[in-house]
Amino acid sequence: MSYVIGVDCGTSGTKTVLFDELGNVIASQTVEYPMYQPKNGYAEQEPFDWANAMISTIKGVMAKSGVSKFDVKGIGISGQMHGLVMLDKGNNVLRRSIIWCDQRTAKEVAEMNEKLGEKKLIEITANPALTGWTASKILWVKNNEPDIYEKCRHILLPKDYLRLILTGEYATEVSDASGMQLLDVKKRCWSKEVCDTLGIDMSMLGKVYESCEVTGKLTKKMADELGLCEGTIVVGGAGDNAAAAVGTGVVEDGKAFTTIGTSGVVFAHTSNISIDPEGRVHTCCAAVPGSWHVMGVTQGAGLSLKWFRDNFCSAEKETAKLMGVDEYYLMDKQAETVSVGADRLIYLPYLMGERTPHLDPDARGVFFGLSAIHTKKHMLRAIMEGVSYSLRDCIEVFKEMNISVSDMMACGGGGSSPLWRSMLADLYNCPVKTVASKEGPALGVALLASVGAGIYQSVPEACKAVVKADKIQEPVAERVSEFEKYYQLYREIYPAIKAQYKKLATL
């Protein structure tokens, strides 16, 4: 039996999983680390923390498993996207990494738009200039820490710093590089035009590979430390969402996944590049060679339900403790007793502004139609429906881009709710499934490693062999038509109060 390792470098910690070639988990270990916020809106981490976590978790899974090092055929790395790692000529880290959720770069975003133009940026990088993405962070260091920028010789993403530790190679791959805003996403290579216009030296950027390609091999020093063989291959890997797509089998046209975590994501695979000229959704290179993915984001998905739980569901929390169940299970059961439309109560889940499709930081949450007949359970139902409507909004943008979805996976905390899955099935009008494995990104990059090692010939072949559906929720025709009426009304509410949101923000 052959084995592969998937390393997932997340924001709260790094998780490493050892899989056999059929995707079974042999051993798993996680190490957590801190995030630093020196100022309001700042978010940073120490690359050393990621490296130490990776080393200790790989050693840990090998020690736990009893698997021979000679049977481990490859390593894949997934990582939080958009983080900036700057190294000097001796590979010393010059400053803490500015990570994905940092928001300090508003001036640099304006600078990018001024120098390149908003349309040109979307045309080349497939996305509008964004504060959280890497290019604006590079410019921020250039503008605010010129001494550090002067010493910089290498710019890497978080997972690619880990690759350097393992192999000594400066490399990245297309899915994660798409989130730097320096890649020509159509051509899958660095954009000379973008780099030259922004004054970023392309020689500082790593070599770009496809996600399942071999980017380097384990050095003797690292092999000895980790208990692995010198020369074990390390493949490109993928950014976290692209890795999750492979781990859930979303690697062919028509397939997509919905994640309901704090935010909500709808992610669809496409073999033909499609870019939204309005920048409402992100287009990036997929982890499948020659393919792309589009991704819509709603900011306040699971956050909306958590907000309601924390402020209005203390009784459910107490009862759940006594019963030994999750409080969300009890909230689900209450919402189930209310019919579609929550007795004419509609919720707009814009607690944190909104991205897809409105791109409006001033948007805020609304209960529309609230009356004296409504109770807590109506509000619970309305929140779950409102989040589902906002996710359907993402699908509507995909349709405009000629991307159709006929097969949907559900992930994240919300995906474990049968009621939420049924709402999504009815609103998408297609089956909504869960995947048997819960390892997501770690499994995804392990599958990429299995392709790089020759265990499977292609990413779709690996997914067919390993990724299995668990529960399947079919749409119900009567509910589909009923939901459609409420969804169409939901779509009318935001445009009707958009101007008032702006006024509210100035008060």
Side-chain angles (χ1 to χ4, degrees):
M1 180 72 81
S2 297
Y3 300 85
V4 282
I5 291 173
V7 179
D8 181 21
C9 173
T11 312
S12 58
T14 287
K15 181 179 189 179
T16 294
V17 187
L18 177 68
F19 298 92
D20 68 19
E21 62 191 50
L22 300 175
N24 298 307
V25 174
I26 306 303
S28 172
Q29 190 163 320
T30 302
V31 168
E32 296 184 349
Y33 34 69
M35 179 174 77
Y36 302 95
Q37 295 184 279
K39 291 184 183 177
N40 187 26
Y42 283 32
E44 300 180 348
Q45 287 187 318
E46 288 285 5
F48 304 116
D49 288 341
W50 306 329
N52 292 335
M54 173 186 69
I55 290 165
S56 67
T57 53
I58 292 178
K59 287 165 76 172
V61 298
M62 289 305 295
K64 279 185 198 175
S65 69
V67 166
S68 166
K69 66 181 182 179
F70 300 103
D71 293 329
V72 177
K73 303 303 181 186
I75 300 170
I77 318 170
S78 164
Q80 51 171 298
M81 295 178 69
H82 319 302
L84 171 63
V85 181
M86 306 184 91
L87 308 176
D88 68 12
K89 62 183 179 184
N91 289 340
N92 300 298
V93 174
L94 289 167
R95 67 172 332 281
R96 281 180 184 157
S97 173
I98 305 174
I99 65 168
W100 62 276
C101 49
D102 189 282
Q103 296 296 317
R104 74 184 72 180
T105 62
K107 286 181 182 174
E108 285 69 31
V109 163
E111 180 184 339
M112 289 171 70
N113 285 328
E114 187 184 326
K115 287 181 173 176
L116 275 155
E118 292 179 37
K119 284 187 178 176
K120 176 67 78 174
L121 260 174
I122 291 175
E123 184 186 313
I124 297 173
T125 73
N127 294 281
L130 294 158
T131 51
W133 288 32
T134 320
S136 60
K137 294 168 182 169
I138 297 170
L139 294 180
W140 185 90
V141 175
K142 193 177 182 183
N143 293 339
N144 294 276
E145 299 174 346
D147 292 352
I148 286 175
Y149 191 81
E150 190 63 34
K151 292 175 189 169
C152 183
R153 294 295 177 272
H154 302 284
I155 289 171
L156 295 172
L157 292 160
K159 79 172 194 326
D160 301 325
Y161 175 69
L162 298 182
R163 181 195 324 282
L164 176 68
I165 300 287
L166 295 174
T167 67
E169 300 289 343
Y170 307 104
T172 188
E173 51 67 51
V174 290
S175 73
D176 215 358
S178 298
M180 290 185 78
Q181 212 131 44
L182 299 173
L183 195 80
D184 185 323
V185 170
K186 284 181 191 166
K187 297 177 181 174
R188 305 170 87 87
C189 63
W190 299 124
S191 167
K192 188 173 188 304
E193 183 177 356
V194 172
C195 291
D196 286 354
T197 305
L198 298 180
I200 295 169
D201 184 350
M202 278 176 64
S203 70
M204 294 197 289
L205 306 174
K207 184 178 176 183
V208 182
Y209 290 84
E210 290 294 335
S211 305
C212 56
E213 283 188 295
V214 176
T215 59
K217 296 181 177 179
L218 210 55
T219 63
K220 184 176 189 312
K221 180 187 172 189
M222 284 308 302
D224 290 346
E225 181 165 1
L226 298 172
L228 293 169
C229 291
E230 180 184 359
T232 302
I233 64 155
V234 178
V235 295
D240 49 11
N241 279 302
V246 178
T248 50
V250 177
V251 294
E252 296 171 296
D253 287 357
K255 293 194 172 189
F257 71 76
T258 296
T259 300
I260 303 177
T262 302
S263 62
V265 169
V266 186
F267 179 113
H269 179 92
T270 176
S271 53
N272 298 307
I273 187 167
S274 186
I275 298 170
D276 176 33
E278 295 174 46
R280 293 168 295 175
V281 298
H282 303 309
T283 297
C284 295
C285 299
V288 181
S291 301
W292 290 264
H293 65 250
V294 291
M295 186 172 80
V297 180
T298 182
Q299 302 276 67
L303 175 70
S304 289
L305 200 60
K306 182 180 184 297
W307 164 78
F308 195 81
R309 181 200 70 177
D310 291 347
N311 289 284
F312 306 107
C313 293
S314 54
E316 285 76 9
K317 286 184 178 182
E318 289 303 314
T319 306
K321 273 184 194 171
L322 294 171
M323 291 176 64
V325 297
D326 191 290
E327 54 255 41
Y328 285 115
Y329 169 79
L330 295 183
M331 291 158 67
D332 257 27
K333 287 299 177 190
Q334 286 191 66
E336 267 180 13
T337 64
V338 180
S339 59
V340 170
D343 282 332
R344 297 179 183 158
L345 180 62
I346 296 175
Y347 172 71
L348 274 60
Y350 306 148
L351 298 184
M352 304 293 288
E354 190 53 304
R355 277 166 69 179
T356 305
H358 304 308
L359 286 172
D360 187 351
D362 296 326
R364 289 295 178 266
V366 170
F367 279 104
F368 176 77
L370 193 63
S371 77
I373 69 161
H374 292 125
T375 63
K376 185 194 289 185
K377 64 184 182 182
H378 290 93
M379 297 176 85
L380 278 168
R381 174 95 194 190
I383 287 170
M384 295 176 79
E385 289 184 347
V387 169
S388 303
Y389 298 146
S390 72
L391 294 165
R392 164 75 182 271
D393 274 345
C394 300
I395 295 285
E396 292 302 308
V397 177
F398 293 175
K399 285 179 185 173
E400 290 176 38
M401 299 165 70
N402 296 315
I403 294 168
S404 63
V405 173
S406 55
D407 188 315
M408 180 68 74
M409 287 286 185
C411 320
S416 64
S417 159
L419 177 59
W420 230 333
R421 290 200 305 273
S422 76
M423 289 177 181
L424 294 176
D426 295 336
L427 275 158
Y428 295 161
N429 199 15
C430 77
V432 172
K433 310 170 187 176
T434 59
V435 68
S437 171
K438 304 304 177 194
E439 296 301 340
L443 176 60
V445 291
L447 290 175
L448 295 173
S450 72
V451 175
I455 297 168
Y456 297 103
Q457 296 307 303
S458 70
V459 180
E461 182 192 299
C463 289
K464 280 191 177 81
V466 170
V467 180
K468 307 296 180 197
D470 184 11
K471 302 175 183 73
I472 302 176
Q473 176 68 49
E474 298 286 348
V476 176
E478 306 82 60
R479 292 201 306 248
V480 169
S481 56
E482 191 66 16
F483 263 125
E484 196 63 24
K485 298 174 197 169
Y486 282 97
Y487 172 64
Q488 293 304 332
L489 176 56
Y490 166 89
R491 293 186 82 181
E492 293 175 24
I493 300 169
Y494 171 82
I497 58 176
K498 181 179 178 180
Q500 283 68 42
Y501 278 135
K502 299 294 176 203
K503 286 182 181 176
L504 182 65
T506 64
L507 295 180

